Amino acid sequence: MRQTDLYVLRRLLVALGAAAGALCPLLLLATALRFVDDIVERGAAVELFAALVLLALPYLAGVALPLALLIAILTVYVRMASESELIVMRAAGVSDLRLAAPALLLGLAIMGIVAWNALVLAPSSESELRDLRSSLRDRFSILFAQPGTFRQVDRDMTLFVHDGTGGSEYSGILLQDDRDSERRITYMAERGTVSVEDGIPRLTAFNGSRHEIDRETGRLTLVYFDRNTIELNLPPVPQRARSRRERTLDELLNPSAEEVGRANVAKHRAEGHFRLASGLMPGAMAVVALACLLLGGENRQGQAFRPALAGAIAFGLLVGAYATKAAVAKLPVLAGLQYAIGVVPILVGFALLALSGRRQPASV
């Protein structure tokens, strides 16, 4: 690899890191809205929120990495053109294909990462994300008691808290325990905390009283306490239907009609083909951007138009990929279009770069 190639590649890597660093927070912010009601507004631990965000990252990478690559290529090559570096390289006999080689190499690496992510990492992370969200809502929902409302912990337990001080700490606690068929127990406390230890939620109450009523005799037994820990019932975990986003490639391409329903078989296969074709998108966007920026010589009149054209075409390819997936779900015979959206731009753009030849002197 020539020094010029290494020079361009280093600039591309820096620009790629900066673009990914700028895109990820924006995409994460949009994704965090999916579970802000489950976590933030209910006072769960910061660790749980961070775990959800990290599990959402792989699915976002399929969109963020191609966009970051596009931004990096546009930034580096537009700057090289504005600083006349492209003119100098062309004057030294460097062809358009050679100028594009560092970006093509980086695009090839991103294609591999995106393909591996789409086929392996993203489905696994999505499955863990949905399992965690399901547990938070169904199994550990007691951690998120809403002040001023009665919450059915389980069929035989009801919890009321007057106010919440954050982090699963509450004041004005009333807990009705009807698990024992021979007695009814009511706990009242000034304050308390709810925590999970060994997978079991526990209410630790402070400065309260325990009211026990014998169901047969009606006798009341009253005990005051400074601190008392009560194990809370866990409702059974309901069977969760698996979404297409968390299924493996084999499950998507060979779905069971009995499991997913005959109406959803085509949708699963469309998702499978979309994953296979997703690895082509970074290469298609990179080649389109390079063809728009490098073809046409150094005519300054087109310097402002070319990046806009490259961005528009690349964005159109990305939107077209998702639109085609929706179309294939209704018309499976169009499955080949999902691959054509990535393959055709790569072949056409690469051919144009290879056949462009030496440029004429720049016109100003």
Side-chain angles (χ1 to χ4, degrees), residues 182-184 211-222:
E182 297 181 357
R183 56 185 179 176
R184 167 175 289 179
H211 305 253
E212 179 181 324
I213 299 178
D214 189 294
R215 295 182 185 272
E216 183 176 349
T217 64
R219 179 181 177 182
L220 171 66
T221 302
L222 176 62

Side-chain angles (χ1 to χ4, degrees), residues 170-189:
Y170 306 103
S171 61
I173 296 174
L174 171 65
L175 177 65
Q176 183 74 43
D177 186 353
D178 293 319
R179 290 177 291 183
D180 194 325
S181 60
E182 297 181 357
R183 56 185 179 176
R184 167 175 289 179
I185 303 175
T186 302
Y187 298 90
M188 292 186 289

Side-chain angles (χ1 to χ4, degrees), residues 206-275:
F206 302 92
N207 300 328
S209 58
R210 180 179 184 273
H211 305 253
E212 179 181 324
I213 299 178
D214 189 294
R215 295 182 185 272
E216 183 176 349
T217 64
R219 179 181 177 182
L220 171 66
T221 302
L222 176 62
V223 177
Y224 292 96
F225 58 82
D226 294 326
R227 174 183 174 135
N228 193 5
T229 301
I230 308 108
E231 288 190 2
L232 305 175
N233 272 2
L234 286 173
V237 179
Q239 186 67 29
R240 181 178 64 83
R242 298 173 65 208
S243 70
R244 293 190 295 274
R245 288 171 56 166
E246 57 185 309
R247 293 182 180 271
T248 64
L249 181 64
D250 182 65
E251 290 175 318
L252 291 174
L253 296 180
N254 303 287
S256 170
E258 292 76 13
E259 181 184 357
V260 304
R262 294 190 179 276
N264 294 320
V265 169
K267 294 180 180 179
H268 281 68
R269 287 177 178 161
E271 178 69 26
H273 289 296
F274 178 80
R275 284 194 197 170

Side-chain angles (χ1 to χ4, degrees), residues 87-205:
I87 297 177
V88 174
M89 291 181 183
R90 283 184 171 126
V94 180
S95 65
D96 286 343
L97 185 58
R98 189 70 193 188
L99 287 172
L104 293 175
L105 181 62
L106 181 60
L108 187 63
I110 299 298
M111 287 173 64
I113 294 173
V114 170
W116 173 78
N117 177 74
L119 297 176
V120 179
L121 184 59
S124 176
S125 295
E126 183 70 16
S127 180
E128 292 186 26
L129 174 64
R130 290 177 181 266
D131 285 343
L132 180 56
R133 291 192 69 193
S134 178
S135 296
L136 290 174
R137 289 195 305 266
D138 302 325
R139 193 165 176 82
F140 299 138
S141 59
I142 183 60
L143 290 173
F144 314 128
Q146 294 292 330
T149 61
F150 288 90
R151 189 175 191 86
Q152 199 74 23
V153 178
D154 197 9
R155 183 181 61 181
D156 300 321
M157 297 188 75
T158 304
L159 175 67
F160 174 86
V161 297
H162 180 266
D163 196 10
T165 59
S168 302
E169 298 181 5
Y170 306 103
S171 61
I173 296 174
L174 171 65
L175 177 65
Q176 183 74 43
D177 186 353
D178 293 319
R179 290 177 291 183
D180 194 325
S181 60
E182 297 181 357
R183 56 185 179 176
R184 167 175 289 179
I185 303 175
T186 302
Y187 298 90
M188 292 186 289
E190 292 182 5
R191 62 185 180 88
T193 61
V194 179
S195 60
V196 177
E197 300 176 11
D198 300 325
I200 301 176
R202 290 181 171 87
L203 170 65
T204 303

Side-chain angles (χ1 to χ4, degrees), residues 326-344:
V328 171
K330 298 179 181 179
L331 297 172
V333 294
L334 301 177
L337 290 178
Q338 292 183 284
Y339 301 95
I341 287 180
V343 172
V344 172

